[in-house]
Amino acid sequence: MKLIYIAGPFSGKTAWAVHCNVHRAEYLAAQVIERNCGWFPIVPHSLGARFEGHGTYEYWLEGTLDLLRKCDAVLLVSGWELSKGATGEKLEAERLGLPVYLSLNDWQRS
């Protein structure tokens, strides 16, 4: 099975904003799962939401980049360009030569 890393904003100005960012990433991952096409979504947002307040920003950045490096592709959540972390994840994926998909439709056409 191929692994697809879901990259998008996590942080927000309020707890509600973080919750909404996590939900958007998980919803996109659910769309990947529903297609039952041999891809397994890796959603770092789900981990981060359960451990908010534990570990530094750098700790999470390093750990999630390590997860990304084990994946076969990256799928970006809309609004990714507003996120410093997601922008770095996109750049790392491109550096590694991984396919980067800007949307679910972009991924499905590949």
Side-chain angles (χ1 to χ4, degrees):
M1 190 173 291
K2 293 182 181 180
L3 301 177
I4 190 160
Y5 185 94
I6 308 296
F10 175 82
S11 301
K13 292 183 180 182
T14 65
W16 178 249
V18 172
H19 171 78
C20 290
N21 287 336
V22 171
H23 176 75
R24 287 177 37 235
E26 290 176 339
Y27 181 80
L28 187 58
Q31 299 299 303
V32 170
I33 294 167
E34 287 178 10
R35 277 146 180 85
N36 193 23
C37 57
W39 287 83
F40 187 91
I42 303 299
V43 190
H45 301 71
S46 298
L47 282 171
R50 307 303 177 253
F51 292 102
E52 192 170 2
H54 298 279
T56 64
Y57 179 79
E58 291 75 24
Y59 171 85
W60 285 99
L61 212 57
E62 183 179 332
T64 55
L65 283 175
D66 280 344
L67 281 174
L68 181 147
R69 291 180 188 114
K70 294 172 179 16
C71 293
D72 301 292
V74 172
L75 177 58
L76 298 169
V77 178
S78 64
W80 67 268
E81 63 280 353
L82 304 174
S83 167
K84 181 176 153 184
T87 299
E89 291 166 336
K90 179 183 181 287
L91 291 173
E92 179 65 5
E94 290 171 341
R95 185 187 74 75
L96 295 169
L98 297 176
V100 176
Y101 302 106
L102 300 176
S103 69
L104 195 61
N105 288 335
D106 186 31
W107 169 69
Q108 287 184 294
R109 279 181 271 179
S110 66

